[in-house]
Amino acid sequence: MITSKTTLKDLAGIVIAGLKKFDINATLVGGAVVSIYSDNAYQSRDLDFISPNDHASIVKAMEAMGFVRQGKNFFHQNTKFTIEFPTGPLGIGDDVPIKPEGEIETEYGKVTLLSPTQCVMDRLAWFYHHKDRQCLDQAVMVARAHPVNLSKIKKWSEREGAVERFQIFIERLKAK
Amino acid sequence: MSQALFGNNVAEKCLLYIANYGEGYINGIAKTFEIAPSQVQKQLVRLEEGGILVSRMLGNSRIFSFNPRLAFKRELEALLERQLSLVSKEDTQKYYRKRTRPRRTGKEL
């Protein structure tokens, strides 16, 4: 049941479980993943899911959970969080499509999401290609809170043509 | 600290802004630091004339960025990056953390 006290993580679990009843798969991406991995040091109000299923089925499943659709967003009267299903496929920078490598347990079931390493790369993609320093900070937050594969991130950064910006990330990560 | 190196406080702010965001325009920089657009314009034009910056028109705004042909562009960016890393947390949030990634039209901020 969704209440005003439902956390972002639990809401993700509730939505995934509700979608599963309609045979819909979805992966949590974006800022919500940063919130989960940073233990809410970064607070997102949006939950973005990428799903291979058709939008009409998703709308039906979301409405069954009590969500109301307004434009591209889904709202629920009991929570401040909004849900969106951006168009897939799931990708990070030029790596498209990618397979999500993260999974977390919630009271309501498992949630598939980006792994900490993929989450860092996802945030760095915005820093590399849109110079977004908020996302640099978020990448650092996640990499400080969870073990990440820096060698994989470095190789991916090279493919993205962002060796110098990867170095900025590393220096920020090392800084106190 | 690097005001002396860059000539003055406004020039330093312009360079730090562009190093941070990748580019900048007169009113955007002026509004961020609450300084007169004329002062910003003067420094940006000076830096462009000196070959440090280049500019292009985008709509009605002139956008300034580092000159890709500048021989010491990488070193200058590294110096400014180092300086950005020393800015206080408060000032970093205030001046250097505007969202620059896209947000879909109609989505709440």
Side-chain angles (χ1 to χ4, degrees):
Chain A
M1 186 184 163
I2 299 169
T3 70
S4 60
K5 290 183 180 169
T6 301
T7 63
L8 181 145
K9 186 176 167 181
D10 281 342
L11 184 60
I14 291 168
V15 170
I16 292 277
L19 291 171
K20 269 192 185 150
K21 287 181 189 166
F22 287 76
D23 289 324
I24 295 167
N25 293 315
T27 300
L28 184 66
V29 299
V33 181
V34 179
S35 280
I36 289 170
Y37 287 141
S38 69
D39 209 13
N40 283 323
Y42 168 74
Q43 295 185 337
S44 174
R45 279 181 57 188
D46 310 318
L47 282 80
D48 290 343
F49 291 96
I50 301 276
S51 172
N53 294 78
D54 68 278
H55 201 65
S57 310
I58 292 169
V59 172
K60 203 172 159 188
M62 292 299 286
E63 285 175 349
M65 283 182 260
F67 283 91
V68 175
R69 184 182 164 201
Q70 279 178 27
K72 286 209 161 193
N73 292 319
F74 290 91
F75 296 87
H76 192 286
Q77 60 178 358
N78 294 344
T79 181
K80 63 183 178 185
F81 296 114
T82 59
I83 314 283
E84 193 179 333
F85 292 85
T87 309
L90 185 57
I92 300 173
D94 285 340
D95 283 3
V96 184
I98 59 145
K99 194 175 166 225
E101 293 169 354
E103 195 173 80
I104 53 162
E105 284 284 350
T106 73
E107 199 182 315
Y108 306 92
K110 286 180 182 171
V111 172
T112 304
L113 74 175
L114 300 176
S115 67
T117 297
Q118 289 178 319
C119 177
V120 167
M121 285 166 23
D122 174 58
R123 295 293 99 182
L124 287 178
W126 295 114
F127 173 54
Y128 292 168
H129 301 300
H130 290 270
K131 315 278 190 301
D132 193 294
R133 298 257 173 172
Q134 292 180 358
C135 284
L136 170 63
D137 292 345
Q138 292 165 22
V140 170
M141 275 181 209
V142 173
R144 280 186 179 157
H146 292 268
V148 293
N149 187 336
L150 287 175
S151 157
K152 190 175 176 181
I153 297 170
K154 186 181 180 188
K155 280 179 191 160
W156 167 80
S157 299
E158 285 166 359
R159 291 200 300 279
E160 295 289 318
V163 178
E164 288 169 21
R165 291 198 164 250
F166 171 74
Q167 207 49 46
I168 293 173
F169 162 67
I170 291 294
E171 280 161 21
R172 292 294 167 106
L173 189 57
K174 286 179 187 165
K176 284 182 183 176
Chain B
M1 196 192 326
S2 58
Q3 290 172 26
L5 186 64
F6 299 129
N8 60 69
N9 187 23
V10 178
E12 181 194 38
K13 284 186 162 82
C14 291
L15 288 168
L16 285 171
Y17 185 100
I18 291 168
N20 185 74
Y21 292 111
E23 59 186 25
Y25 62 101
I26 293 164
N27 284 333
I29 298 171
K31 201 173 169 186
T32 298
F33 295 110
E34 296 173 346
I35 47 184
S38 59
Q39 288 186 56
V40 173
Q41 183 176 20
K42 190 177 168 187
Q43 294 308 317
L44 290 175
V45 169
R46 184 178 72 82
L47 290 164
E48 186 180 25
E49 284 172 353
I52 308 290
L53 301 178
V54 290
S55 71
R56 68 184 200 283
M57 288 303 289
L58 186 68
N60 290 326
S61 299
R62 182 162 289 281
I63 308 291
F64 291 83
S65 56
F66 287 113
N67 183 354
R69 294 200 177 104
L70 181 65
F72 51 90
K73 176 177 178 273
R74 184 175 294 189
E75 290 81 0
L76 176 62
E77 284 181 323
L79 174 71
L80 292 164
E81 190 60 43
R82 176 71 183 133
Q83 194 168 346
L84 284 168
S85 74
L86 300 173
V87 174
S88 70
K89 274 187 183 173
E90 294 73 26
D91 282 357
T92 295
Q93 290 305 320
K94 189 173 176 187
Y95 302 125
Y96 301 109
R97 285 299 180 272
K98 278 191 237 172
R99 181 183 174 124
T100 57
R101 63 191 184 282
R103 183 173 278 278
R104 180 173 56 74
T105 307
K107 193 161 181 171
E108 276 183 41
L109 289 173

